[in-house]
């Protein structure tokens, strides 16, 4: 799970090779971040727990270097700390680790922007603080200019080198944006791997991507291609959905944030490429 040194060529739109670890460097500062297409991951830290719980195969650092710019972070509130969980399963990391990896990446790649959903996961236990206070305590270890603290969705130039938190929890904060303000598609229950159930999921994903393509440029859209159930494990679902996504993305478009299980570099390439084409 080491660093990924991927490169992608945009010769068809007049660009030379682009390092995916800094692919946002040539996006105009004046673009609204809501006007971009950003590759993302669902349950970004879920690397353990077997086929019914694991959702990713790349470490967080590898995801960032491969071009992922939206991550989905789930924290349990336990003993006033924030271990990373997928349901009951501890993912051998804590929120402090997530922030350290993220800020370190942004230090080394100041042209980039990371969007991060933060959600409370599983049962809280043995706490004397609220979940929001525990998150704020972790965030306070970093300079405030490393996190987006402004009003509304930032322009690219305003947020370079920053973490933009999407707060999916109750309580006050000095940073970030409310997750509920996004236009979200997350129909994650897929009853089985039968073609009719995969098709139903794909239709909801495709419809929301088309909505993002055509909708208000000031709205931040988020589409989850992930799904699971007792008869459909995440890895099996993702194989089919990622294949459909790779064929779907094309040309100049705004797709919003696209969160995937077991993210693949070919899909990341296609999402990134739409931004370059839009700027060409």
């Amino acid at each position: 799970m080491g660093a990924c040194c991927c490169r992608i060529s945009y010769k068809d739109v007049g660009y030379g090779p682009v390092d995916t670890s800094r692919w946002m460097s040539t996006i105009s500062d004046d673009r609204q971040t809501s006007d971009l297409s950003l590759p993302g991951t669902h349950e970004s830290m879920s690397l353990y727990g077997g086929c019914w719980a694991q959702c990713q195969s790349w470490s967080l650092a590898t995801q960032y270097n491969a071009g992922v710019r939206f991550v989905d972070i789930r924290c349990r509130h336990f003993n006033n700390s924030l271990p990373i969980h997928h349901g009951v399963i501890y993912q051998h990391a804590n929120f402090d680790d997530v922030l350290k990896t993220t800020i370190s990446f942004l230090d080394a790649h100041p042209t980039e922007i990371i969007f991060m959903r933060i959600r409370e996961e599983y049962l809280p236990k043995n706490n004397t603080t609220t979940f929001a206070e525990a998150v704020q305590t972790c965030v306070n270890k970093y300079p405030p200019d490393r996190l987006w603290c402004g009003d509304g969705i930032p322009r690219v130039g305003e947020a370079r080198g920053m973490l933009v938190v999407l707060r999916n929890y109750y309580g006050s904060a000095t940073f970030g944006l409310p997750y509920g303000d996004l236009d979200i598609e997350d129909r994650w229950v897929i009853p089985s791997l039968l073609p009719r159930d995969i098709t139903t999921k794909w239709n909801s994903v495709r419809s929301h991507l088309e909505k993002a393509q055509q909708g208000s440029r000031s709205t931040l859209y988020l589409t989850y291609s992930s799904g699971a159930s007792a008869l459909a494990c995440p890895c099996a679902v993702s194989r089919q959905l990622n294949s459909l996504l790779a064929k779907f993305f094309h040309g100049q478009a705004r797709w919003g944030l696209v969160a995937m299980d077991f993210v693949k570099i070919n899909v990341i390439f296609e999402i990134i490429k739409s931004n370059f084409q839009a700027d060409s």
Side-chain angles (χ1 to χ4, degrees):
M1 296 184 188
C4 178
C5 299
C6 305
R7 298 179 74 84
I8 178 170
S9 176
Y10 294 101
K11 293 179 181 179
D12 57 328
V13 291
Y15 284 81
V18 175
D19 182 351
T20 52
S21 70
R22 56 179 185 85
W23 69 262
M24 300 182 78
S25 61
T26 58
I27 301 293
S28 169
D29 282 348
D30 293 330
R31 289 275 293 276
Q32 284 280 357
T33 52
S34 57
D35 194 35
L36 301 178
S37 302
L38 301 181
T41 51
H42 159 257
E43 286 277 6
S44 305
M45 296 289 290
S46 186
L47 301 172
Y48 303 94
C51 66
W52 299 106
Q54 184 180 357
C55 295
Q56 303 299 333
S57 57
W58 295 350
S59 71
L60 192 61
T62 298
Q63 292 177 39
Y64 289 154
N65 278 294
V68 166
R69 295 295 175 265
F70 165 79
V71 291
D72 173 27
I73 302 300
R74 315 290 184 95
C75 307
R76 184 185 184 191
H77 193 199
F78 181 73
N79 288 336
N80 291 329
S81 63
L82 297 170
I84 304 299
H85 271 245
H86 182 181
V88 68
I89 301 172
Y90 173 55
Q91 294 299 317
H92 304 282
N94 297 312
F95 186 52
D96 282 326
D97 302 318
V98 170
L99 287 178
K100 182 178 180 181
T101 297
T102 303
I103 298 301
S104 293
F105 173 80
L106 292 170
D107 284 343
H109 304 86
T111 60
E112 306 307 292
I113 305 166
I114 301 296
F115 283 80
M116 179 184 292
R117 176 195 187 187
I118 299 177
R119 175 185 139 166
E120 184 171 3
E121 185 90 349
Y122 196 53
L123 301 174
K125 187 175 181 181
N126 299 335
N127 299 297
T128 59
T129 64
T130 67
F131 182 83
E133 288 169 340
V135 173
Q136 186 74 55
T137 296
C138 292
V139 165
N140 286 345
K141 297 175 184 178
Y142 297 89
D145 62 357
R146 305 317 308 278
L147 286 91
W148 175 247
C149 301
D151 295 325
I153 299 169
R155 293 186 180 276
V156 171
E158 295 175 318
R160 288 197 191 276
M162 291 187 184
L163 169 61
V164 181
V165 171
L166 304 173
R167 303 188 310 270
N168 189 196
Y169 57 87
Y170 295 107
S172 61
T174 63
F175 55 87
L177 305 170
Y179 181 75
D181 287 355
L182 279 64
D183 189 315
I184 302 167
E185 165 55 42
D186 188 14
R187 185 179 298 179
W188 66 270
V189 177
I190 301 179
S192 75
L193 295 173
L194 291 174
R196 67 170 182 267
D197 292 326
I198 295 297
T199 298
T200 297
K201 170 64 179 180
W202 171 242
N203 286 342
S204 68
V205 169
R206 182 181 59 194
S207 294
H208 199 254
L209 290 171
E210 290 171 347
K211 182 181 180 181
Q213 183 184 28
Q214 301 164 8
S216 168
R217 314 305 276 191
S218 62
T219 298
L220 192 57
Y221 292 87
L222 169 57
T223 306
Y224 288 91
S225 67
S226 51
S229 73
L231 297 177
C233 66
C235 59
V237 172
S238 69
R239 277 196 293 270
Q240 299 193 55
L241 268 294
N242 287 341
S243 177
L244 291 167
L245 285 171
K247 297 173 185 176
F248 174 81
F249 293 119
H250 57 275
Q252 178 179 340
R254 185 276 301 264
W255 306 115
L257 314 178
V258 185
M260 300 163 276
D261 279 344
F262 294 96
V263 64
K264 299 300 183 184
I265 199 66
N266 63 319
V267 186
I268 291 175
F269 284 178
E270 293 303 320
I271 297 173
I272 290 175
K273 190 163 65 173
S274 68
N275 293 291
F276 283 84
Q277 291 174 327
D279 267 7
S280 64

